[in-house]
mmCIF file of all heavy atoms in Angstrom:
data_model
loop_
_atom_site.group_PDB
_atom_site.id
_atom_site.type_symbol
_atom_site.label_atom_id
_atom_site.label_comp_id
_atom_site.label_asym_id
_atom_site.label_seq_id
_atom_site.Cartn_x
_atom_site.Cartn_y
_atom_site.Cartn_z
ATOM 1 N N ASN A 1 -26.406 -13.887 -145.479
ATOM 2 C CA ASN A 1 -25.115 -13.181 -145.591
ATOM 3 C C ASN A 1 -24.033 -14.044 -146.239
ATOM 4 O O ASN A 1 -22.853 -13.669 -146.213
ATOM 5 C CB ASN A 1 -24.659 -12.725 -144.199
ATOM 6 C CG ASN A 1 -25.487 -11.566 -143.676
ATOM 7 O OD1 ASN A 1 -25.233 -10.413 -143.994
ATOM 8 N ND2 ASN A 1 -26.501 -11.874 -142.874
ATOM 9 N N ASN A 2 -24.451 -15.183 -146.813
ATOM 10 C CA ASN A 2 -23.530 -16.069 -147.536
ATOM 11 C C ASN A 2 -22.322 -16.468 -146.693
ATOM 12 O O ASN A 2 -21.184 -16.462 -147.167
ATOM 13 C CB ASN A 2 -23.064 -15.409 -148.851
ATOM 14 C CG ASN A 2 -24.209 -15.152 -149.807
ATOM 15 O OD1 ASN A 2 -25.025 -16.043 -150.051
ATOM 16 N ND2 ASN A 2 -24.290 -13.933 -150.328
ATOM 17 N N ILE A 3 -22.596 -16.799 -145.431
ATOM 18 C CA ILE A 3 -21.541 -17.257 -144.533
ATOM 19 C C ILE A 3 -21.685 -18.766 -144.375
ATOM 20 O O ILE A 3 -22.695 -19.249 -143.882
ATOM 21 C CB ILE A 3 -21.631 -16.561 -143.161
ATOM 22 C CG1 ILE A 3 -21.519 -15.044 -143.319
ATOM 23 C CG2 ILE A 3 -20.548 -17.090 -142.225
ATOM 24 C CD1 ILE A 3 -21.802 -14.277 -142.037
ATOM 25 N N ASP A 4 -20.674 -19.497 -144.838
ATOM 26 C CA ASP A 4 -20.718 -20.959 -144.755
ATOM 27 C C ASP A 4 -20.096 -21.403 -143.439
ATOM 28 O O ASP A 4 -18.890 -21.565 -143.322
ATOM 29 C CB ASP A 4 -19.962 -21.570 -145.938
ATOM 30 C CG ASP A 4 -20.043 -23.096 -145.962
ATOM 31 O OD1 ASP A 4 -20.890 -23.643 -145.232
ATOM 32 O OD2 ASP A 4 -19.245 -23.724 -146.694
ATOM 33 N N ALA A 5 -20.941 -21.582 -142.423
ATOM 34 C CA ALA A 5 -20.476 -22.026 -141.109
ATOM 35 C C ALA A 5 -21.409 -23.128 -140.617
ATOM 36 O O ALA A 5 -22.600 -23.133 -140.920
ATOM 37 C CB ALA A 5 -20.461 -20.869 -140.115
ATOM 38 N N GLU A 6 -20.869 -24.059 -139.859
ATOM 39 C CA GLU A 6 -21.636 -25.197 -139.364
ATOM 40 C C GLU A 6 -22.296 -24.859 -138.032
ATOM 41 O O GLU A 6 -21.655 -24.332 -137.124
ATOM 42 C CB GLU A 6 -20.706 -26.402 -139.177
ATOM 43 C CG GLU A 6 -21.408 -27.632 -138.628
ATOM 44 C CD GLU A 6 -20.446 -28.757 -138.279
ATOM 45 O OE1 GLU A 6 -19.215 -28.525 -138.332
ATOM 46 O OE2 GLU A 6 -20.931 -29.855 -137.937
ATOM 47 N N LEU A 7 -23.594 -25.184 -137.919
ATOM 48 C CA LEU A 7 -24.299 -25.027 -136.654
ATOM 49 C C LEU A 7 -24.243 -26.348 -135.889
ATOM 50 O O LEU A 7 -24.638 -27.389 -136.417
ATOM 51 C CB LEU A 7 -25.755 -24.633 -136.880
ATOM 52 C CG LEU A 7 -26.038 -23.205 -137.345
ATOM 53 C CD1 LEU A 7 -27.536 -22.968 -137.398
ATOM 54 C CD2 LEU A 7 -25.376 -22.181 -136.441
ATOM 55 N N ILE A 8 -23.752 -26.297 -134.663
ATOM 56 C CA ILE A 8 -23.697 -27.474 -133.803
ATOM 57 C C ILE A 8 -24.712 -27.249 -132.686
ATOM 58 O O ILE A 8 -24.581 -26.301 -131.903
ATOM 59 C CB ILE A 8 -22.288 -27.693 -133.226
ATOM 60 C CG1 ILE A 8 -21.263 -27.814 -134.363
ATOM 61 C CG2 ILE A 8 -22.253 -28.931 -132.334
ATOM 62 C CD1 ILE A 8 -19.831 -27.924 -133.887
ATOM 63 N N THR A 9 -25.732 -28.089 -132.613
ATOM 64 C CA THR A 9 -26.834 -27.857 -131.676
ATOM 65 C C THR A 9 -26.750 -28.739 -130.442
ATOM 66 O O THR A 9 -26.256 -29.871 -130.494
ATOM 67 C CB THR A 9 -28.191 -28.100 -132.368
ATOM 68 O OG1 THR A 9 -28.270 -29.459 -132.793
ATOM 69 C CG2 THR A 9 -28.355 -27.176 -133.571
ATOM 70 N N TYR A 10 -27.262 -28.183 -129.339
ATOM 71 C CA TYR A 10 -27.297 -28.898 -128.059
ATOM 72 C C TYR A 10 -28.672 -28.710 -127.433
ATOM 73 O O TYR A 10 -29.314 -27.668 -127.603
ATOM 74 C CB TYR A 10 -26.210 -28.374 -127.112
ATOM 75 C CG TYR A 10 -24.813 -28.654 -127.618
ATOM 76 C CD1 TYR A 10 -24.166 -27.744 -128.464
ATOM 77 C CD2 TYR A 10 -24.150 -29.828 -127.277
ATOM 78 C CE1 TYR A 10 -22.882 -28.006 -128.943
ATOM 79 C CE2 TYR A 10 -22.871 -30.096 -127.754
ATOM 80 C CZ TYR A 10 -22.248 -29.188 -128.588
ATOM 81 O OH TYR A 10 -20.988 -29.459 -129.063
ATOM 82 N N GLU A 11 -29.119 -29.698 -126.680
ATOM 83 C CA GLU A 11 -30.448 -29.676 -126.087
ATOM 84 C C GLU A 11 -30.556 -28.623 -124.996
ATOM 85 O O GLU A 11 -31.577 -27.952 -124.866
ATOM 86 C CB GLU A 11 -30.772 -31.064 -125.500
ATOM 87 C CG GLU A 11 -32.085 -31.146 -124.749
ATOM 88 C CD GLU A 11 -33.310 -31.076 -125.648
ATOM 89 O OE1 GLU A 11 -33.160 -31.252 -126.873
ATOM 90 O OE2 GLU A 11 -34.399 -30.829 -125.117
ATOM 91 N N LYS A 12 -29.494 -28.443 -124.204
ATOM 92 C CA LYS A 12 -29.531 -27.535 -123.063
ATOM 93 C C LYS A 12 -28.587 -26.354 -123.276
ATOM 94 O O LYS A 12 -27.542 -26.488 -123.909
ATOM 95 C CB LYS A 12 -29.139 -28.265 -121.774
ATOM 96 C CG LYS A 12 -30.065 -29.412 -121.396
ATOM 97 C CD LYS A 12 -29.596 -30.076 -120.109
ATOM 98 C CE LYS A 12 -30.522 -31.220 -119.697
ATOM 99 N NZ LYS A 12 -30.072 -31.866 -118.443
ATOM 100 N N ILE A 13 -28.983 -25.221 -122.710
ATOM 101 C CA ILE A 13 -28.134 -24.028 -122.791
ATOM 102 C C ILE A 13 -26.792 -24.283 -122.115
ATOM 103 O O ILE A 13 -25.734 -23.880 -122.625
ATOM 104 C CB ILE A 13 -28.842 -22.820 -122.147
ATOM 105 C CG1 ILE A 13 -30.050 -22.407 -122.987
ATOM 106 C CG2 ILE A 13 -27.888 -21.655 -121.982
ATOM 107 C CD1 ILE A 13 -29.709 -21.793 -124.317
ATOM 108 N N ASP A 14 -26.820 -24.957 -120.948
ATOM 109 C CA ASP A 14 -25.569 -25.250 -120.237
ATOM 110 C C ASP A 14 -24.618 -26.054 -121.122
ATOM 111 O O ASP A 14 -23.412 -25.799 -121.134
ATOM 112 C CB ASP A 14 -25.864 -26.042 -118.957
ATOM 113 C CG ASP A 14 -26.600 -25.211 -117.916
ATOM 114 O OD1 ASP A 14 -26.720 -23.992 -118.119
ATOM 115 O OD2 ASP A 14 -27.061 -25.784 -116.918
ATOM 116 N N GLU A 15 -25.158 -27.029 -121.847
ATOM 117 C CA GLU A 15 -24.338 -27.847 -122.746
ATOM 118 C C GLU A 15 -23.787 -27.005 -123.899
ATOM 119 O O GLU A 15 -22.655 -27.207 -124.342
ATOM 120 C CB GLU A 15 -25.166 -28.999 -123.305
ATOM 121 C CG GLU A 15 -25.627 -30.001 -122.257
ATOM 122 C CD GLU A 15 -26.604 -31.019 -122.821
ATOM 123 O OE1 GLU A 15 -27.097 -30.794 -123.958
ATOM 124 O OE2 GLU A 15 -26.869 -32.023 -122.142
ATOM 125 N N THR A 16 -24.588 -26.060 -124.368
ATOM 126 C CA THR A 16 -24.162 -25.188 -125.471
ATOM 127 C C THR A 16 -22.939 -24.370 -125.072
ATOM 128 O O THR A 16 -21.940 -24.315 -125.807
ATOM 129 C CB THR A 16 -25.320 -24.244 -125.874
ATOM 130 O OG1 THR A 16 -26.469 -25.020 -126.200
ATOM 131 C CG2 THR A 16 -24.930 -23.399 -127.078
ATOM 132 N N TYR A 17 -23.008 -23.754 -123.900
ATOM 133 C CA TYR A 17 -21.873 -22.947 -123.448
ATOM 134 C C TYR A 17 -20.674 -23.815 -123.077
ATOM 135 O O TYR A 17 -19.519 -23.434 -123.329
ATOM 136 C CB TYR A 17 -22.283 -22.068 -122.266
ATOM 137 C CG TYR A 17 -23.048 -20.842 -122.685
ATOM 138 C CD1 TYR A 17 -24.430 -20.757 -122.488
ATOM 139 C CD2 TYR A 17 -22.411 -19.757 -123.280
ATOM 140 C CE1 TYR A 17 -25.143 -19.631 -122.884
ATOM 141 C CE2 TYR A 17 -23.117 -18.633 -123.678
ATOM 142 C CZ TYR A 17 -24.477 -18.579 -123.472
ATOM 143 O OH TYR A 17 -25.180 -17.466 -123.871
ATOM 144 N N ALA A 18 -20.929 -24.975 -122.490
ATOM 145 C CA ALA A 18 -19.826 -25.877 -122.140
ATOM 146 C C ALA A 18 -19.053 -26.286 -123.386
ATOM 147 O O ALA A 18 -17.814 -26.347 -123.373
ATOM 148 C CB ALA A 18 -20.363 -27.113 -121.418
ATOM 149 N N ALA A 19 -19.768 -26.548 -124.472
ATOM 150 C CA ALA A 19 -19.109 -26.924 -125.728
ATOM 151 C C ALA A 19 -18.297 -25.758 -126.284
ATOM 152 O O ALA A 19 -17.175 -25.942 -126.775
ATOM 153 C CB ALA A 19 -20.152 -27.375 -126.743
ATOM 154 N N TYR A 20 -18.861 -24.564 -126.189
ATOM 155 C CA TYR A 20 -18.134 -23.378 -126.656
ATOM 156 C C TYR A 20 -16.875 -23.134 -125.827
ATOM 157 O O TYR A 20 -15.785 -22.919 -126.368
ATOM 158 C CB TYR A 20 -19.054 -22.161 -126.589
ATOM 159 C CG TYR A 20 -18.332 -20.837 -126.691
ATOM 160 C CD1 TYR A 20 -17.692 -20.456 -127.864
ATOM 161 C CD2 TYR A 20 -18.280 -19.973 -125.590
ATOM 162 C CE1 TYR A 20 -17.016 -19.237 -127.953
ATOM 163 C CE2 TYR A 20 -17.619 -18.762 -125.663
ATOM 164 C CZ TYR A 20 -16.986 -18.405 -126.844
ATOM 165 O OH TYR A 20 -16.316 -17.212 -126.912
ATOM 166 N N TYR A 21 -16.993 -23.206 -124.490
ATOM 167 C CA TYR A 21 -15.829 -23.002 -123.627
ATOM 168 C C TYR A 21 -14.753 -24.062 -123.887
ATOM 169 O O TYR A 21 -13.551 -23.775 -123.774
ATOM 170 C CB TYR A 21 -16.233 -23.060 -122.149
ATOM 171 C CG TYR A 21 -17.136 -21.932 -121.690
ATOM 172 C CD1 TYR A 21 -18.147 -22.163 -120.743
ATOM 173 C CD2 TYR A 21 -16.983 -20.642 -122.179
ATOM 174 C CE1 TYR A 21 -18.975 -21.144 -120.312
ATOM 175 C CE2 TYR A 21 -17.816 -19.616 -121.757
ATOM 176 C CZ TYR A 21 -18.810 -19.866 -120.828
ATOM 177 O OH TYR A 21 -19.627 -18.852 -120.409
ATOM 178 N N ALA A 22 -15.192 -25.274 -124.231
ATOM 179 C CA ALA A 22 -14.245 -26.372 -124.470
ATOM 180 C C ALA A 22 -13.607 -26.296 -125.850
ATOM 181 O O ALA A 22 -12.748 -27.122 -126.180
ATOM 182 C CB ALA A 22 -14.952 -27.708 -124.297
ATOM 183 N N GLY A 23 -14.031 -25.333 -126.664
ATOM 184 C CA GLY A 23 -13.421 -25.172 -127.983
ATOM 185 C C GLY A 23 -13.989 -26.087 -129.051
ATOM 186 O O GLY A 23 -13.394 -26.230 -130.122
ATOM 187 N N ARG A 24 -15.172 -26.683 -128.783
ATOM 188 C CA ARG A 24 -15.757 -27.563 -129.797
ATOM 189 C C ARG A 24 -16.434 -26.787 -130.918
ATOM 190 O O ARG A 24 -16.871 -27.352 -131.915
ATOM 191 C CB ARG A 24 -16.751 -28.532 -129.139
ATOM 192 C CG ARG A 24 -16.055 -29.591 -128.286
ATOM 193 C CD ARG A 24 -16.969 -30.771 -127.983
ATOM 194 N NE ARG A 24 -17.988 -30.456 -126.998
ATOM 195 C CZ ARG A 24 -17.798 -30.541 -125.682
ATOM 196 N NH1 ARG A 24 -16.617 -30.914 -125.201
ATOM 197 N NH2 ARG A 24 -18.778 -30.257 -124.847
ATOM 198 N N CYS A 25 -16.533 -25.471 -130.751
ATOM 199 C CA CYS A 25 -17.007 -24.608 -131.828
ATOM 200 C C CYS A 25 -16.301 -23.264 -131.700
ATOM 201 O O CYS A 25 -15.788 -22.905 -130.634
ATOM 202 C CB CYS A 25 -18.527 -24.448 -131.785
ATOM 203 S SG CYS A 25 -19.193 -24.187 -130.150
ATOM 204 N N ASP A 26 -16.279 -22.528 -132.795
ATOM 205 C CA ASP A 26 -15.538 -21.265 -132.823
ATOM 206 C C ASP A 26 -16.315 -20.114 -132.188
ATOM 207 O O ASP A 26 -15.718 -19.133 -131.747
ATOM 208 C CB ASP A 26 -15.193 -20.902 -134.274
ATOM 209 C CG ASP A 26 -14.346 -21.969 -134.944
ATOM 210 O OD1 ASP A 26 -13.283 -22.298 -134.393
ATOM 211 O OD2 ASP A 26 -14.771 -22.488 -135.998
ATOM 212 N N ALA A 27 -17.622 -20.233 -132.199
ATOM 213 C CA ALA A 27 -18.471 -19.151 -131.679
ATOM 214 C C ALA A 27 -19.706 -19.747 -131.033
ATOM 215 O O ALA A 27 -20.016 -20.929 -131.206
ATOM 216 C CB ALA A 27 -18.872 -18.212 -132.821
ATOM 217 N N VAL A 28 -20.401 -18.910 -130.278
ATOM 218 C CA VAL A 28 -21.689 -19.307 -129.716
ATOM 219 C C VAL A 28 -22.693 -18.236 -130.110
ATOM 220 O O VAL A 28 -22.385 -17.036 -130.110
ATOM 221 C CB VAL A 28 -21.623 -19.471 -128.176
ATOM 222 C CG1 VAL A 28 -21.198 -18.167 -127.503
ATOM 223 C CG2 VAL A 28 -22.942 -19.963 -127.624
ATOM 224 N N SER A 29 -23.872 -18.670 -130.502
ATOM 225 C CA SER A 29 -24.947 -17.759 -130.880
ATOM 226 C C SER A 29 -26.029 -17.837 -129.822
ATOM 227 O O SER A 29 -26.478 -18.923 -129.462
ATOM 228 C CB SER A 29 -25.516 -18.153 -132.248
ATOM 229 O OG SER A 29 -26.640 -17.358 -132.558
ATOM 230 N N GLU A 30 -26.451 -16.679 -129.342
ATOM 231 C CA GLU A 30 -27.461 -16.682 -128.273
ATOM 232 C C GLU A 30 -28.127 -15.319 -128.195
ATOM 233 O O GLU A 30 -27.637 -14.326 -128.727
ATOM 234 C CB GLU A 30 -26.786 -17.037 -126.932
ATOM 235 C CG GLU A 30 -27.711 -17.168 -125.744
ATOM 236 C CD GLU A 30 -28.877 -18.095 -126.011
ATOM 237 O OE1 GLU A 30 -28.702 -19.317 -125.899
ATOM 238 O OE2 GLU A 30 -29.951 -17.566 -126.368
ATOM 239 N N TRP A 31 -29.243 -15.317 -127.529
ATOM 240 C CA TRP A 31 -29.970 -14.086 -127.257
ATOM 241 C C TRP A 31 -29.089 -13.175 -126.405
ATOM 242 O O TRP A 31 -28.529 -13.601 -125.387
ATOM 243 C CB TRP A 31 -31.251 -14.486 -126.549
ATOM 244 C CG TRP A 31 -32.264 -13.424 -126.400
ATOM 245 C CD1 TRP A 31 -32.768 -12.595 -127.359
ATOM 246 C CD2 TRP A 31 -32.934 -13.090 -125.192
ATOM 247 N NE1 TRP A 31 -33.710 -11.770 -126.827
ATOM 248 C CE2 TRP A 31 -33.830 -12.049 -125.504
ATOM 249 C CE3 TRP A 31 -32.866 -13.576 -123.896
ATOM 250 C CZ2 TRP A 31 -34.655 -11.477 -124.548
ATOM 251 C CZ3 TRP A 31 -33.694 -13.021 -122.947
ATOM 252 C CH2 TRP A 31 -34.572 -11.973 -123.267
ATOM 253 N N GLY A 32 -28.947 -11.925 -126.828
ATOM 254 C CA GLY A 32 -27.965 -11.009 -126.269
ATOM 255 C C GLY A 32 -27.907 -10.874 -124.760
ATOM 256 O O GLY A 32 -26.831 -10.986 -124.160
ATOM 257 N N PRO A 33 -29.038 -10.632 -124.074
ATOM 258 C CA PRO A 33 -28.983 -10.490 -122.608
ATOM 259 C C PRO A 33 -28.446 -11.734 -121.919
ATOM 260 O O PRO A 33 -27.644 -11.646 -120.987
ATOM 261 C CB PRO A 33 -30.442 -10.233 -122.240
ATOM 262 C CG PRO A 33 -31.038 -9.620 -123.460
ATOM 263 C CD PRO A 33 -30.374 -10.312 -124.605
ATOM 264 N N SER A 34 -28.894 -12.896 -122.367
ATOM 265 C CA SER A 34 -28.397 -14.141 -121.780
ATOM 266 C C SER A 34 -26.923 -14.347 -122.117
ATOM 267 O O SER A 34 -26.140 -14.808 -121.281
ATOM 268 C CB SER A 34 -29.215 -15.328 -122.294
ATOM 269 O OG SER A 34 -28.650 -16.548 -121.867
ATOM 270 N N LEU A 35 -26.541 -14.000 -123.331
ATOM 271 C CA LEU A 35 -25.150 -14.135 -123.757
ATOM 272 C C LEU A 35 -24.232 -13.296 -122.874
ATOM 273 O O LEU A 35 -23.226 -13.787 -122.338
ATOM 274 C CB LEU A 35 -25.027 -13.696 -125.219
ATOM 275 C CG LEU A 35 -23.688 -13.896 -125.927
ATOM 276 C CD1 LEU A 35 -23.340 -15.370 -126.019
ATOM 277 C CD2 LEU A 35 -23.738 -13.282 -127.325
#
């Protein structure tokens, strides 16, 4: 879709959401039910 956005990866799901809540990324990508 020609979207130039940076993916920031984390080993654990908990760390992924913690980073998103802390504002270290603009969005979080995840499987819908878990999201």
Side-chain angles (χ1 to χ4, degrees):
N1 288 276
N2 298 312
I3 301 172
D4 184 14
E6 179 187 8
L7 287 185
I8 303 175
T9 62
Y10 295 89
E11 175 71 15
K12 298 180 179 180
I13 292 290
D14 292 351
E15 295 172 348
T16 304
Y17 281 105
Y20 165 67
Y21 294 144
R24 289 197 286 274
C25 43
D26 300 305
V28 59
S29 174
E30 184 51 82
W31 191 51
S34 173
L35 187 63

